[in-house]
Amino acid sequence: MVDFPFVVVIPARYASTRLPGKPLASLAGEAMVRHVARRALQAGAGQVVVAIDDHRVGQALQGLPVTVCMTRIDHASGSDRIAECVDQLGWADDTIVVNLQGDEPFAPIAGIQAVARALALDDAPVATLATPVTSVEELFDPNAVKLVRGADGRALYFSRAPLPWARDAFARGRDALPADIPFLRHIGIYAYRARFLRAYASLPQTPLEQAESLEQLRVLENGHAIAVRLSPEAFPPGIDTPADLERAHRFLAGG
């Protein structure tokens, strides 16, 4: 059990473009969103809220001790959707709000707790997690978001491009990871203070956010800090496409 209070909001957008109806996709005979909600409950969240854009998602959550928050369909990001819930539910400004993506049915309990703890122990308005990059293929994969952080453990930048660029090593070849360079992959779980979420939602999308399609860049471009800590456990890949869903079925089957 954690020694500080936090809440979890799960943005569960039905109108997914790559996997329509994604929160209701069946995993082990249950809607994916139910698996995610149970992870949040098991992590010890004081309240678990599912931010939905379609009543069918809310119906799929019946029987679980969660709060369903109906939100607008036109939000630019999951963080904007969560900010609407913060206002609807009237949380205090200092409430620690964890954003657990609705396509993370295998998110480790320790990781959910770790991102909340990272924010509780830092005065940054946002915290997130990272894990070492393990292969050169991962480093060059635009679907794997990379980041660099400063000596203070705060993010300097996030990118879909290889980051940092190992100039001399990559001039010799790109078939292996250069040694002694702290390549990090971002894990898309966040913790925010409620007061910051209210401010974030009022900020327009920024040029770098739009260029990279990374909502966290709106935070950095507006001069706010993001605390970055290493995840205590690996996060299995989320589910964003039909191929991801097939992989998840194999994972559950032990294949």
Side-chain angles (χ1 to χ4, degrees), residues 138-214:
E138 183 180 32
L139 183 67
F140 282 87
D141 180 358
N143 294 312
V145 177
K146 278 69 64 175
L147 68 91
V148 288
R149 59 179 181 168
D152 59 358
R154 293 184 171 184
L156 298 174
Y157 193 64
F158 298 81
S159 182
R160 297 183 183 279
L163 196 71
W165 184 258
R167 186 194 64 174
D168 295 341
F170 289 147
R172 294 189 295 270
R174 303 178 190 177
D175 55 351
L177 283 178
D180 302 322
I181 296 178
F183 295 112
L184 293 175
R185 177 174 64 83
H186 181 225
I187 295 173
I189 186 171
Y190 301 92
Y192 316 83
R193 289 186 173 84
R195 74 170 64 85
F196 178 76
L197 274 168
R198 292 187 172 101
Y200 177 91
S202 69
L203 298 172
Q205 286 190 287
T206 50
L208 293 175
E209 175 190 9
Q210 292 177 315
E212 297 249 23
S213 191
L214 296 174

Side-chain angles (χ1 to χ4, degrees), residues 52 198 222:
I52 67 173
R198 292 187 172 101
N222 281 283

